[in-house]
Amino acid sequence: MSLATVTRMAADPQGELEDELRHIRDLVLVRDLLRRRGADAAELRECDATIAEARAPLAESAKRAYAPAA
């Protein structure tokens, strides 16, 4: 994680959430493209696992974006 990422996380939780959502949408689009192009089941499972792993950072971003102001 870069310093710019850490700074953005602290300064713009809503933007971070949007970035995480965009990342997952992109992963889903790639998986669908691979499926249409005939990827085998192992490749698609790998894509599904990557999408599942991306959900944890998304959840953390959502918590920060909608946390009550301190």
Side-chain angles (χ1 to χ4, degrees):
M1 183 178 305
S2 71
L3 180 58
T5 303
V6 171
T7 303
R8 170 129 191 215
M9 289 169 59
D12 186 12
Q14 187 67 37
E16 178 190 353
L17 177 62
E18 291 170 10
D19 289 347
E20 296 291 347
L21 283 169
R22 189 175 309 108
H23 178 67
I24 290 176
R25 286 185 190 122
D26 290 346
L27 291 170
V28 170
L29 289 172
V30 168
R31 180 194 60 199
D32 291 344
L33 178 64
L34 289 171
R35 182 186 49 79
R36 285 194 305 265
R37 291 187 176 181
D40 62 26
E43 289 175 300
L44 297 176
R45 279 193 304 273
E46 187 174 326
C47 288
D48 288 338
T50 302
I51 292 166
E53 289 172 8
R55 289 183 180 139
L58 173 65
E60 290 302 315
S61 295
K63 287 177 190 175
R64 282 189 293 277
Y66 293 104

